[in-house]
Amino acid sequence: MNEKELLLNLLDKPSVTPDDAGCFDVIESYLSEFGFQTEIVTFGAVKNLWAVHGNGQPLTVFAGHVDVVPPGDLSKWTTPPFAPTERGGYLYARGAADMKAGVATMCLAATNFVTQYPDYQGSIAIMLTADEEGPAHDGIKQLMPYLVERGVNMDYVIFGEPSSDKVLGDTIKNGRRGSMHVHLTILGQQGHVAYPDLAANPIHALGPVITRLADEIWCQGNEYFPATSKQIWELSGGAGASNIIPGEATIRFNFRFSNQLSAETIIERVHTLVAETLQTLATNTGKRYTYDLYHELAGEPFLTREGDLTQAMQAACQSVLGQSPKLSTGGGTSDARFVAPFGPQVVEFGPVNATIHQVDECVKIDDLPRLTQVYQRVLMTLYGKN
Ligand SMILES: [Zn+2]
């Protein structure tokens, strides 16, 4: 089987998150033919696949997910999302780019390598989940500590996520910004709009609070990360009547933050800024406000510094694709955030991401064997075979 045949066998499975829809059966039977020990690890209702070949260190892990986002409005698709179709050199299906192409080519690279170098020292594994596109609670987040507890010690982890921007090999992700959601409610004193002296209007207090938060420079960024950004995405208040001063008003905002900050340091600063602003208001207007604040951390930032893995990946892109990829920490979160805290070098590298999560998602067919070769070349470098 080549990577395109394996990919077609995955793309016709409607593995809408968190259902693997038979993808793991396909991958298990493929890998076991090459001597991989495969295991399905279930958390809640979610299946995860761990497959390993060889023994000991170094251990290189190809990682990712077989679940996909829902196809959305089927009438908008040129051809059905789970009936993979070739047109003009591209393969169209939900999950083609995010990330079944990565899964298929990583599997091929691993089996090609162990066939070609049966005497290699160390081990190679495939780690996949069906819970990446949804809540991501029962996937890599739980599988990592489970494996580490069992003594699995990963040296290098490559996520075959669609990292490329314009052409295959132009971008490697070597980290991600942190992401955190914050909910802030200002509590005032409800009253009649005609009797403002008896009330404290929390919407009026939100103005200076928003200005203070918006003016704050959270960090300047560094050579790997852009400056930390904060975006308020919701503002709500009102008691539903034009003659009532409401008792509370809420804003919700999201931080995308660099490795110079942590969730804890950001939250401390938010508390300080809000408390100071409300204190100033109390001094200037006599109106007293309190607030409630809570946060949800989606992931702390992480960074794999330039080293064995980034160098092997860059060299492989150069020799196979003629590309000099840039290292980037841009984009949204991925499961790599659950792996990096355990210490291995982690990168994300895979196909062009232009159509991910869209109608008519596709991957360039010619890129498939080239991607396999890149992964294979990386293994050759990491195991001293070039
Ligand atoms: Zn993905």
Side-chain angles (χ1 to χ4, degrees), residues 33-371:
E33 273 179 48
F34 294 88
F36 279 75
Q37 303 289 322
T38 71
E39 182 186 347
I40 296 291
V41 186
T42 306
F43 298 108
V46 173
K47 285 186 194 169
N48 300 276
L49 172 69
W50 172 249
V52 64
H53 183 282
N55 283 298
Q57 311 306 127
L59 166 57
T60 302
V61 180
F62 287 114
H65 60 92
V66 297
D67 59 324
V68 299
V69 293
D73 184 353
L74 294 179
S75 70
K76 298 235 164 68
W77 284 74
T78 308
T79 49
F82 298 109
T85 310
E86 291 185 42
R87 284 196 304 279
Y90 286 80
L91 190 53
Y92 288 82
R94 170 59 81 227
D98 187 7
M99 59 163 279
K100 290 176 177 176
V103 171
T105 53
M106 291 189 301
C107 287
L108 258 289
T111 56
N112 287 351
F113 181 83
V114 302
T115 306
Q116 198 176 351
Y117 303 103
D119 62 336
Y120 77 101
Q121 289 297 306
S123 48
I124 294 172
I126 308 281
M127 174 172 73
L128 300 171
T129 185
D131 182 19
E132 197 271 349
E133 299 288 10
H137 282 308
D138 296 320
I140 305 296
K141 185 180 183 179
Q142 301 225 44
L143 189 58
M144 267 314 283
Y146 168 85
L147 292 171
V148 168
E149 178 78 11
R150 265 185 15 184
V152 173
N153 180 10
M154 302 179 187
D155 297 285
Y156 309 109
V157 181
I158 299 163
F159 277 84
E161 291 277 8
S163 67
S164 298
D165 221 10
K166 301 270 190 308
V167 293
L168 181 64
D170 62 6
T171 309
I172 296 168
K173 307 256 191 214
N174 66 323
R176 293 280 185 151
R177 290 178 294 176
S179 173
M180 178 171 60
H181 309 290
V182 184
H183 309 253
L184 170 66
T185 297
I186 306 286
L187 303 154
Q189 173 70 47
Q190 186 176 323
H192 194 299
V193 293
Y195 299 90
D197 289 349
L198 303 176
N201 190 334
I203 296 180
H204 291 194
L206 263 188
V209 168
I210 290 172
T211 304
R212 187 73 189 271
L213 291 172
D215 288 349
E216 180 74 2
I217 294 167
W218 301 90
C219 86
Q220 303 278 10
N222 55 36
E223 62 172 317
Y224 293 109
F225 286 90
T228 292
S229 74
K230 182 206 87 280
Q231 290 297 313
I232 298 172
W233 57 271
E234 190 181 286
L235 188 158
S236 60
S242 60
N243 60 356
I244 299 176
I245 293 170
E248 56 183 69
T250 297
I251 52 172
R252 299 178 205 279
F253 43 108
N254 176 267
F255 284 94
R256 294 295 157 118
F257 57 104
S258 81
N259 63 342
Q260 288 173 257
L261 301 170
S262 67
E264 200 183 329
T265 57
I266 292 174
I267 285 297
E268 271 173 32
R269 271 166 80 179
V270 172
H271 271 293
T272 304
L273 295 177
V274 173
E276 280 178 10
T277 307
L278 296 181
Q279 182 56 49
T280 305
L281 275 174
T283 306
N284 295 346
T285 68
K287 302 288 186 192
R288 304 235 154 248
Y289 301 96
T290 56
Y291 68 94
D292 275 344
L293 187 148
Y294 72 95
H295 70 278
E296 295 164 85
L297 176 63
E300 293 278 4
F302 71 90
L303 177 71
T304 292
R305 290 181 188 284
E306 286 172 64
D308 303 349
L309 184 55
T310 59
Q311 281 160 14
M313 191 59 89
Q314 284 176 308
C317 288
Q318 189 69 59
S319 69
V320 177
L321 308 170
Q323 291 286 327
S324 306
K326 67 169 193 287
L327 296 175
S328 161
T329 59
T333 58
S334 84
D335 275 347
R337 71 194 141 138
F338 301 126
V339 173
F342 289 94
Q345 297 180 38
V346 185
V347 298
E348 296 169 54
F349 179 76
V352 173
N353 56 30
T355 61
I356 62 171
H357 295 208
Q358 296 182 17
V359 161
D360 285 350
E361 178 178 349
C362 63
V363 67
K364 196 174 182 184
I365 294 167
D366 285 350
D367 282 350
L368 299 173
R370 299 163 80 221
L371 194 48

